[in-house]
Amino acid sequence: MFDRIDSLGIKFNDFCNLNCKYCFESIDSRSKHNVFNKNEELLQFLKNTNIGSRLFVNLLGGEVTLYPRELYNLCKQIKKIERYKDTTVDIGIISNGTNHNFIMDDLIKIITPKFLKISWDGMHASNIAQTHLTDKQLSTIVDKVGNSIYNEDVLIAIAVTKDNLVYLADSIQYALEHGCRHISYYFIFSDEYFEYYSSKEFTNTFTHQLHRIYLLYKQYDFILENLTYLIYNKYINTHFNYKHACGRMGRMLIVDPFGDIYPCLVLREYDILENTKNFKIGNIETGLDTTSIHQFEEYYNTLIKSINNSCHGCIDMPYCVECPLDIKYMYDIYQKCMFKKNVYNLERQAFDKYITKNDLDRNDKKFNLDYYNKEFIPGSQYITSV
């Protein structure tokens, strides 16, 4: 593990200027003004680390764009590694889009546009974000993306919440009418929402929204990332020996604002919850600790065996990409499985009803499914035949 690094997550800051009802971060965490300031140490660490031919760096918040100077300087520092290593660096961020001028005028020129994800709560976002900003102000980033040359790259991702589900298709239509061409919706991972997503109320409303979304897909030429994932689910080879495991574990590192290194974000969050450093495997100033890595590798392999034994025989295993560490630490996994089965069944039914082979070909030409095939979903007959 960790003999070559292809992905790096940097916890850039904690503070956020919104107070979204569904946010998994605690109010205490979202109020802290910790900002990553170890740029030189990071560059030296990367110089001394074996990096793959392509390095994906994800900058995590909080709301990372609230510190524009620090963020821009960090991005420039990260890109410097291309001078010292035979690698291409892609930088991605997730933002609520409130600092839209900085994002669209400056930041997008130094990051990789297709890895810029705008988390937007839809047409009536102000109620969910619990902010003084109006719906129109929170939608400004959508307007700017749609009117830019990056409208097919930047992802507009809409959270599916109790407050905005009835407006989901309307919100997607708003983004399309304003020029955005890369869209997705995403679900909230919490025990409260797992229960909601399994309810009859959700099922009826979501089914109606899916009907409208797929009609929009036929009307507009755009990438719907949820459809890309369904293509995999539709055509996956269910006969291969599937096992739970993270496709990136051992090739990914997470660096927190203080320079401590973790195998993944889930373990860093768990250490925070427990106020421990059990899963720390190094620091960018001192490097990776081989003893800690060896201990973690033994632990992780034992965990994977245990989870695969407990999930053996589940008919949904070929469609399940559940994070093994989420299963162990973060959620009521039974409720999460029930939610996923309900959602995926509804999506598959709508997929079979509305989506044709021409739709699949159009989506594939606009989105690199081979990336999914190599990184996450081995065994897809359709993708490998394209």
Side-chain angles (χ1 to χ4, degrees):
M1 279 187 165
F2 310 108
D3 57 339
R4 188 193 79 230
I5 301 303
D6 300 320
S7 179
L8 180 68
I10 301 174
K11 184 69 172 176
F12 176 72
N13 73 303
D14 292 303
F15 182 75
C16 184
N17 57 335
L18 300 183
N19 187 30
C20 298
K21 295 178 180 179
Y22 57 81
C23 185
F24 67 90
E25 294 275 11
S26 68
I27 294 177
D28 178 62
S29 176
R30 280 179 276 160
S31 301
K32 293 179 179 177
H33 286 270
N34 299 324
V35 179
F36 185 86
N37 63 356
K38 295 181 177 291
N39 294 4
E40 288 295 333
E41 294 88 339
L42 177 66
L43 181 60
Q44 289 303 316
F45 172 76
L46 291 175
K47 285 182 182 180
N48 297 324
T49 300
N50 185 27
I51 296 173
S53 60
R54 201 167 199 99
L55 177 66
F56 173 62
V57 181
N58 197 16
L59 303 180
L60 309 164
E63 174 50 44
V64 297
T65 66
L66 297 179
Y67 306 89
R69 181 185 302 171
E70 294 87 345
L71 180 62
Y72 195 83
N73 287 340
L74 175 59
C75 290
K76 288 199 299 183
Q77 189 79 337
I78 292 169
K79 293 290 285 185
K80 284 181 182 178
I81 197 61
E82 294 177 339
R83 304 177 189 174
Y84 305 99
K85 299 275 188 176
D86 185 18
T87 189
T88 299
V89 176
D90 288 312
I91 301 176
I93 69 166
I94 301 173
S95 172
N96 61 33
T98 50
N99 195 0
H100 45 78
N101 288 330
F102 167 64
I103 293 172
M104 298 306 296
D105 294 342
D106 300 302
L107 183 63
I108 203 165
K109 297 173 184 176
I110 195 170
I111 65 172
T112 308
K114 69 178 179 179
F115 294 125
L116 169 56
K117 176 179 177 180
I118 302 297
S119 179
W120 178 52
D121 288 326
M123 296 175 62
H124 303 285
S126 60
N127 176 49
I128 300 169
Q130 302 182 109
T131 173
H132 67 280
L133 298 174
T134 65
D135 292 335
K136 183 175 178 58
Q137 288 172 317
L138 291 170
S139 299
T140 301
I141 184 63
V142 178
D143 304 341
K144 288 201 168 190
V145 169
N147 288 321
S148 75
I149 62 173
Y150 307 106
N151 66 327
E152 292 189 359
D153 295 317
V154 178
L155 175 62
I156 305 297
I158 305 170
V160 178
T161 73
K162 299 175 183 179
D163 299 281
N164 75 350
L165 177 58
V166 294
Y167 307 112
L168 180 59
D170 288 333
S171 298
I172 291 176
Q173 184 170 351
Y174 176 94
L176 291 169
E177 288 175 347
H178 286 76
C180 298
R181 292 296 181 264
H182 189 188
I183 297 173
S184 74
Y185 55 83
Y186 68 95
F187 298 94
I188 309 303
F189 281 15
S190 72
D191 292 338
E192 175 191 353
Y193 264 94
F194 296 154
E195 183 176 357
Y196 169 67
Y197 293 144
S198 302
S199 68
K200 185 176 181 179
E201 174 193 358
F202 169 81
T203 298
N204 292 337
T205 308
F206 187 55
T207 299
H208 175 67
Q209 295 299 312
L210 281 175
H211 167 80
R212 293 190 55 206
I213 290 168
Y214 282 141
L215 292 181
L216 288 170
Y217 187 77
K218 290 180 175 295
Q219 181 181 353
Y220 292 88
D221 186 17
F222 73 103
I223 300 168
L224 179 63
E225 283 212 348
N226 307 84
L227 177 59
T228 301
Y229 187 76
L230 283 172
I231 291 173
Y232 154 68
N233 272 348
K234 177 68 176 176
Y235 292 95
I236 189 174
N237 178 1
T238 59
H239 302 293
F240 69 93
N241 185 24
Y242 184 89
K243 292 184 181 296
H244 270 299
C246 175
R248 293 184 175 182
M249 184 59 72
R251 294 281 182 260
M252 164 184 65
L253 294 174
I254 296 294
V255 179
D256 75 7
F258 311 103
D260 288 336
I261 302 172
Y262 289 85
C264 77
L265 188 61
V266 171
L267 294 177
R268 192 252 175 182
E269 298 298 327
Y270 182 75
D271 264 2
I272 290 175
L273 288 173
E274 298 296 315
N275 195 26
T276 64
K277 293 281 187 179
N278 291 339
F279 293 108
K280 174 184 170 182
I281 58 172
N283 185 280
I284 58 174
E285 295 188 41
T286 57
L288 293 170
D289 182 75
T290 53
T291 301
S292 297
I293 289 175
H294 180 69
Q295 291 173 346
F296 172 74
E297 189 169 2
E298 288 187 339
Y299 162 81
Y300 184 75
N301 289 336
T302 301
L303 174 65
I304 293 298
K305 290 179 182 178
S306 172
I307 291 174
N308 280 307
N309 288 337
S310 64
C311 294
H312 180 71
C314 176
I315 61 173
D316 288 297
M317 275 286 279
Y319 305 103
C320 182
V321 290
E322 191 58 64
C323 167
L325 297 166
D326 275 354
I327 292 175
K328 173 69 175 177
Y329 291 112
M330 301 305 287
Y331 305 113
D332 180 332
I333 195 58
Y334 175 77
Q335 280 201 341
K336 191 175 185 183
C337 285
M338 292 302 100
F339 131 66
K340 283 198 167 183
K341 288 178 183 178
N342 187 43
V343 167
Y344 292 167
N345 283 335
L346 295 175
E347 289 179 317
R348 288 177 205 149
Q349 289 169 16
F351 177 97
D352 289 336
K353 184 174 181 179
Y354 296 109
I355 300 301
T356 67
K357 180 66 165 59
N358 288 336
D359 295 322
L360 300 182
D361 290 341
R362 172 164 64 91
N363 199 81
D364 179 59
K365 288 175 182 177
K366 294 175 71 65
F367 194 88
N368 184 13
L369 289 175
D370 188 55
Y371 169 75
Y372 277 79
N373 188 38
K374 289 178 179 178
E375 295 293 326
F376 301 110
I377 43 180
S380 171
Q381 296 173 342
Y382 178 77
I383 296 173
T384 53
S385 67
V386 170

